[in-house]
Amino acid sequence: TTAVRTWTEIQALEGMIASAASWFLKLNALLFILYISYTIRLHAVQVYGKVIHEFDPWFNYRATDYLVNEINARGFWEGSRSFFNWYDDKVWYPLGRPVGTTIYCGLQFTSAFIYFVLEAIGQPMSLNDVCVYVPSWFASFSCLFVFGMAWEVSRSYNSALAAAFFMAISPAHLMRSVAGGYDNEGIAVAAICGTFYFWVRSLRDSSSWWYGVVTGLMYIYMVAAWGGYIFVLNMIGVHAAVLIMSGRYSQNLWKSYSIFYVMGTLGAIQFPVVGYAPLKSLEQLGPLFVFFWLQLMEVCKRYERAHPDMGERRIRDYYMLVFGGAMVAGLVGIMIFMPRGYLGPISARVRGLFVQHTRTGNPLVDSVAEHQATRDEMYYQYFHIVCYLAPIGFVSMFFNLTDQKLFVITYTAISMYFSRKMIRLILILAPASSVVAGVALELVITWSISQHLEDLEEPADPVTAKSAAAKNVKKAQGKKGKKGGELTSHPFFQELNEIYSENLMLRKVLAGGWLFMTLSRLL
């Protein structure tokens, strides 16, 4: 008995050591990926020095310098108020420009915060250097949030690490996050990825709804950072609507979305450049309707739970009454507010996503080269091997469907459409493509290796010359056939499974080809 207990303790210790070693390797792999994401963006600094390049980054630096000087002279609150009231008479001469109320100030306040924190801890850095490094610092946060998104949809550290790696080296992400490219997108991509990660995290289980608070805070930061907050808002709204329409409504969804929307909207309207656009702009009213839709769904669900003996017909009539009344109230509201000009028009940039970019009606928008449609060959330039892996990962999302996977499906499809319409929006496709490519890479490598190890698990039957896998497939088919209704119980799919199981050598050849092509593209 003592020997058995000792042997059990040794096995438990070996398991603990193996688990600790696995965690150590995964943590180091993630840290190495974050290190890569940072260092490869320093190439311009290593060659040319700590220089801000391009026009917009210089404007942003000038605005940041003004903010820091005002805070130093007047204190934080008075300096911030002075910044928002700043009318710059040295630009657009002789008209000038009200800078504080016409820019997304998140970039300036972020850099100022980092500048003062470094100064406070005794590691001062010039404001120029802080502004140079900010995009490369935030690129690492983007990779970390993509890691989290991939983990939520796959529950696999290997897939998550692969997704973070693809995000780190993706030219679609690199083009807006190199050191010295001090522009809004440099921090906005991290804000996008963070908002989406905390959103899918809030849907993990019934106790995760409080992550909606963090989602709302990240969204507020996104509003401060970039005008692309409209995409983030609508993306989460569309996902919530898809969940409702697909019968996946839950109290967790209601809580998470309600907290996110209320917090996010209250925070968004505090910024002068945004104002009351979330409640007036046509392109931002969709998420508001989803918010009311969820409230009505929760009212109906609670009434249904309070009256469990109600028949199906009475429940249906109650739903029709509630939603019918809401539609009437909505139509009355539209009839009242539309003639008064309360609802604003769709912006020219948003119109450019649905019409040809040279016909938006705004000459300034039409003249910008990055608003042109994306050519097919440019996808390979910006995504490389991800172009081949992403479709596999995208299809895999439809199996064992979850709320998180449905978000990735929706996000990938919508961002792919928008990236086709406007070349600058390839940027928002980078996180989605990295997630599905990371999932696909693990699937491809795992399947390929398993084909070469399959015949080592159990020798083939010498009589039937069929592998153990063929027997297992037949057993699985028998079990599924008893349950009924499964797709694989169809004779066509049974025959495909039979052919797949019996051709081990062909699978080995295909697996070798897959591995060779994947690794050669990666290297």
Side-chain angles (χ1 to χ4, degrees):
T1 305
T2 305
V4 171
R5 187 184 305 162
T6 304
W7 177 247
T8 304
E9 292 174 351
I10 292 174
Q11 286 183 320
L13 181 61
E14 289 177 348
M16 291 175 59
I17 294 173
S19 177
S22 175
W23 274 96
F24 179 77
L25 291 174
K26 290 169 183 174
L27 177 61
N28 277 274
L30 178 59
L31 293 175
F32 180 67
I33 290 170
L34 299 180
Y35 173 75
I36 288 175
S37 71
Y38 171 67
T39 54
I40 62 176
R41 286 164 170 79
L42 301 182
H43 176 72
V45 172
Q46 294 166 354
V47 175
Y48 304 107
K50 300 169 186 176
V51 178
I52 294 174
H53 48 82
E54 301 175 29
F55 175 78
D56 283 351
W58 274 109
F59 165 78
N60 291 323
Y61 170 73
R62 183 164 177 268
T64 307
D65 183 58
Y66 182 89
L67 173 63
V68 169
N69 290 334
E70 289 297 307
I71 291 176
N72 279 327
R74 305 166 182 261
F76 177 75
W77 295 110
E78 288 299 321
S80 300
R81 185 177 292 109
S82 175
F83 176 78
F84 285 119
N85 294 328
W86 177 29
Y87 191 90
D88 189 359
D89 58 0
K90 296 181 179 179
V91 297
W92 293 99
Y93 183 83
L95 299 177
R97 173 188 175 184
V99 176
T101 56
T102 58
I103 66 169
Y104 292 93
C105 60
L107 182 64
Q108 286 74 28
F109 276 90
T110 298
S111 302
F113 174 78
I114 295 172
Y115 172 79
F116 287 119
V117 167
L118 291 175
E119 198 174 61
I121 63 176
Q123 300 292 330
M125 183 182 290
S126 70
L127 184 60
N128 176 84
D129 293 355
V130 170
C131 295
V132 166
Y133 285 115
V134 158
S136 54
W137 290 336
F138 274 76
S140 298
F141 287 109
S142 300
C143 297
L144 190 61
F145 288 131
V146 166
F147 173 88
M149 271 197 289
W151 160 253
E152 288 297 325
V153 300
S154 66
R155 292 292 185 211
S156 166
Y157 285 106
N158 296 329
S159 295
L161 288 170
F165 175 73
F166 285 131
M167 188 64 178
I169 65 172
S170 172
H173 181 210
L174 270 163
M175 67 176 180
R176 294 291 186 171
S177 57
V178 293
Y182 184 58
D183 211 347
N184 295 78
E185 292 89 342
I187 64 171
V189 177
I192 292 172
C193 297
T195 306
F196 287 163
Y197 164 68
F198 287 115
W199 168 247
V200 296
R201 177 63 182 87
S202 71
L203 300 176
R204 180 188 290 183
D205 51 50
S206 58
S207 62
S208 300
W209 58 266
W210 64 270
Y211 277 94
V213 176
V214 192
T215 308
L217 294 174
M218 284 299 301
Y219 171 70
I220 293 172
Y221 182 69
M222 176 63 206
V223 175
W226 189 37
Y229 77 90
I230 298 173
F231 168 77
V232 176
L233 175 64
N234 281 280
M235 186 65 253
I236 294 178
V238 168
H239 179 233
V242 170
L243 289 177
I244 299 172
M245 291 187 291
S246 58
R248 306 182 73 91
Y249 173 83
S250 64
Q251 270 201 326
N252 191 47
L253 172 64
W254 168 65
K255 292 178 182 178
S256 299
Y257 188 87
S258 298
I259 293 171
F260 151 75
Y261 186 80
V262 172
M263 280 189 61
T265 303
L266 287 175
I269 62 179
Q270 306 306 315
F271 297 100
V273 70
V274 176
Y276 287 98
L279 304 175
K280 298 173 66 175
S281 175
L282 287 178
E283 62 224 30
Q284 299 182 55
L285 290 183
L288 176 62
F289 291 148
V290 174
F291 172 76
F292 286 125
W293 188 1
L294 282 167
Q295 308 316 308
L296 296 175
M297 285 292 296
E298 182 61 21
V299 168
C300 293
K301 292 292 184 182
R302 292 196 176 196
Y303 184 82
E304 188 177 342
R305 287 193 295 269
H307 302 81
D309 11 342
M310 283 180 65
E312 184 177 342
R313 182 173 180 179
R314 288 186 61 191
I315 293 174
R316 186 170 61 250
D317 291 343
Y318 183 75
Y319 272 77
M320 292 179 64
L321 176 65
V322 171
F323 281 93
M327 288 180 63
V328 171
L331 289 173
V332 171
I334 291 174
M335 292 172 64
I336 293 174
F337 289 112
M338 279 291 283
R340 299 184 180 183
Y342 176 81
L343 301 177
I346 297 177
S347 66
R349 285 188 175 180
V350 174
R351 287 199 301 273
L353 298 174
F354 302 98
V355 299
Q356 190 175 344
H357 86 281
T358 55
R359 299 179 181 176
T360 64
N362 187 322
L364 184 61
V365 172
D366 295 345
S367 66
V368 178
E370 63 181 12
H371 292 165
Q372 295 180 8
T374 308
R375 300 192 305 275
D376 293 339
E377 62 270 17
M378 299 191 74
Y379 281 97
Y380 187 77
Q381 296 174 9
Y382 282 109
F383 295 103
H384 197 59
I385 190 176
V386 172
C387 291
Y388 304 108
L389 291 172
I392 301 172
F394 181 76
V395 172
S396 73
M397 292 292 107
F398 288 90
F399 296 90
N400 300 319
L401 200 62
T402 62
D403 293 352
Q404 292 88 340
K405 288 184 177 181
L406 201 54
F407 174 80
V408 172
I409 291 170
T410 310
Y411 176 25
T412 306
I414 292 177
S415 59
M416 181 63 189
Y417 170 80
F418 287 154
S419 71
R420 292 285 295 174
K421 289 290 185 177
M422 194 177 290
I423 190 171
R424 69 176 301 187
L425 295 183
I426 275 184
L427 177 69
I428 64 174
L429 179 59
S433 63
S434 297
V435 170
V436 292
V439 173
L441 183 63
E442 188 196 17
L443 287 175
V444 169
I445 292 179
T446 303
W447 179 82
S448 300
I449 293 176
S450 68
Q451 304 312 304
H452 293 278
L453 299 178
E454 187 173 297
D455 55 348
L456 300 178
E457 297 176 0
E458 181 180 338
D461 190 327
V463 177
T464 61
K466 292 180 180 179
S467 67
K471 299 176 182 178
N472 293 334
V473 168
K474 279 193 171 182
K475 290 179 183 178
Q477 288 172 351
K479 292 179 181 178
K480 290 181 179 180
K482 292 176 182 178
K483 294 178 182 178
E486 281 83 357
L487 185 64
T488 53
S489 64
H490 192 279
F492 174 74
F493 291 102
Q494 289 182 356
E495 188 171 348
L496 282 182
N497 283 330
E498 187 80 16
I499 294 172
Y500 173 84
S501 303
E502 293 179 1
N503 290 276
L504 180 59
M505 184 56 65
L506 177 60
R507 281 186 281 136
K508 285 185 176 183
V509 174
L510 290 174
W514 269 107
L515 274 178
F516 175 76
M517 287 190 296
T518 303
L519 295 178
S520 63
R521 290 289 181 179
L522 282 174
L523 300 175

